[in-house]
Amino acid sequence: MKNSVVVIVILLLAVVAGILTFHTFSNRKAGMHDDMNGNACYCGKSNHLSSEIGLSKKQQAKIEPLDAEFNAKIQAICKILCEKRVGLSQILANNKDFNKDVEAGVENITRLQAEIEKETARHILDVKKVLDSKQAEKFRSMLSDKLCGEMNK
């Protein structure tokens, strides 16, 4: 019974993660997407930042290649992540118990999700290098509000 609950939870997490991935990429043009809590997250679009924190054209020109590199890395990781989720769903379909195959599938997905978080953190820090102190504070506040939402209040 306990193993069945674990498998159901993993399936639910995989479905939610798949929905979030689709939602993220379908809204990427706006530079923002929502996480599962409805909080908007920065996705590497400086045109959105420009209006939020007042980037100059020179700053925008410096950030645009950072955005392009970031988006290419994230898209590559997400493609692999989707493939691993499909693989996990096949493993779950062929197993009744939580075993080392299921665990390995989950760990593969977890590593890729961690890589996305690392790339996002690197990108945020790279963008901050282009900002002046006032813009950096607005950026920090914007990220804090958007990433943490109601938890921040």
Side-chain angles (χ1 to χ4, degrees):
M1 178 70 180
K2 186 178 180 181
N3 288 337
S4 296
V5 171
V6 170
V7 169
I8 290 169
V9 168
I10 291 171
L11 279 173
L12 288 172
L13 289 173
V15 168
V16 168
I19 291 168
L20 289 175
T21 300
F22 171 78
H23 188 61
T24 296
F25 285 105
S26 66
N27 290 315
R28 187 144 297 226
K29 288 181 184 174
M32 303 297 281
H33 72 276
D34 292 340
D35 65 12
M36 70 177 115
N37 299 314
N39 299 314
C41 301
Y42 177 62
C43 288
K45 292 288 185 182
S46 60
N47 59 347
H48 176 74
L49 266 185
S50 182
S51 63
E52 287 278 333
I53 64 174
L55 292 179
S56 69
K57 290 190 186 294
K58 185 176 179 181
Q59 288 172 311
Q60 250 182 303
K62 288 181 179 180
I63 292 174
E64 284 173 0
L66 299 174
D67 288 349
E69 181 181 357
F70 171 72
N71 286 323
K73 286 179 183 178
I74 294 301
Q75 287 177 1
I77 295 169
C78 283
K79 181 179 180 198
I80 297 167
L81 183 59
C82 288
E83 292 167 2
K84 296 296 181 183
R85 285 188 181 126
V86 168
L88 177 61
S89 70
Q90 292 169 346
I91 291 169
L92 292 171
N94 295 323
N95 287 280
K96 292 183 179 181
D97 296 317
F98 190 90
N99 58 37
K100 57 185 171 179
D101 292 336
V102 174
E103 186 171 357
V106 171
E107 288 177 2
N108 286 332
I109 290 169
T110 302
R111 276 191 291 279
L112 290 166
Q113 289 171 332
E115 193 59 36
I116 289 170
E117 294 299 324
K118 289 175 191 176
E119 290 301 330
T120 300
R122 282 185 191 104
H123 183 64
I124 288 168
L125 293 170
D126 287 343
V127 168
K128 277 179 57 178
K129 292 175 187 174
V130 178
L131 307 177
D132 64 31
S133 61
K134 188 175 179 182
Q135 290 169 325
E137 179 54 33
K138 284 182 185 177
F139 186 51
R140 186 210 56 78
S141 179
M142 180 188 83
L143 289 173
S144 180
D145 289 347
K146 306 240 186 232
L147 295 177
C148 299
E150 291 300 315
M151 294 178 68
N152 242 2
K153 297 176 181 176

